[in-house]
Amino acid sequence: MLDQCGLQDALGIDSSAALFERNRELLHTTSVVKHPVFYRGKNYTGHQPDPLKTEILAEYATKVFPEELRLINSHALIIPLGRTVERILRHLYTANQLTGHTILFGFPHPSGANGHRAKQFEQNKYAMTGIIRKWGEQL
């Protein structure tokens, strides 16, 4: 999906898959909440309870996570995987907690559990391609 949006061209690499191999130095992976979370005895899916309305999860989402992002190159392209992470990033952006980063809004979570990922990608592909192109021109 990232190749279809031109990420490899913006970075001057063969393929976005190279980010996980020979171009690993260009990639920083993270999570809003980096620690295992269980809700009602099961793995937390990121939806219930709402991470912005639950004290401990909101602490990670609005304080710990933005602090990590501040340590990353301010011209980074942030690719939120899924709607919950996107919603948190929109919240942080609105609260002026993100500075200089470009966010690839609309990118679907690639998990097989996301049955709508292909449709979501096609709906947002044009806009995402534009975001990546504009970001790449600033590199």
Side-chain angles (χ1 to χ4, degrees), residues 41-60:
K42 296 182 180 179
N43 281 329
Y44 175 60
T45 63
H47 303 290
Q48 290 291 66
D50 186 323
L52 292 174
K53 294 181 181 176
T54 307
E55 186 177 353
I56 192 165
L57 297 175
E59 175 83 15
Y60 279 97

Side-chain angles (χ1 to χ4, degrees), residues 28 68-78 99-102 135 139:
H28 177 85
E68 178 182 358
L69 294 180
R70 276 192 277 289
L71 298 174
I72 298 171
N73 180 330
S74 64
H75 188 64
L77 175 66
I78 299 173
T99 56
H101 296 56
T102 297
W135 172 78
L139 290 179

Side-chain angles (χ1 to χ4, degrees), residues 63-126:
K63 294 189 172 106
V64 176
F65 180 59
E67 185 57 36
E68 178 182 358
L69 294 180
R70 276 192 277 289
L71 298 174
I72 298 171
N73 180 330
S74 64
H75 188 64
L77 175 66
I78 299 173
I79 305 171
L81 298 181
R83 293 180 184 201
T84 299
V85 178
E86 184 170 311
R87 187 170 60 87
I88 290 169
L89 284 166
R90 285 185 188 281
H91 172 83
L92 296 173
Y93 183 80
T94 301
N96 292 318
Q97 287 185 269
L98 300 176
T99 56
H101 296 56
T102 297
I103 304 168
L104 190 63
F105 290 121
F107 197 80
H109 194 290
S111 165
N114 179 4
H116 303 288
R117 68 187 180 281
K119 181 179 179 183
Q120 184 182 355
F121 176 74
E122 286 303 320
Q123 288 174 338
N124 298 318
K125 182 178 174 181
Y126 180 79

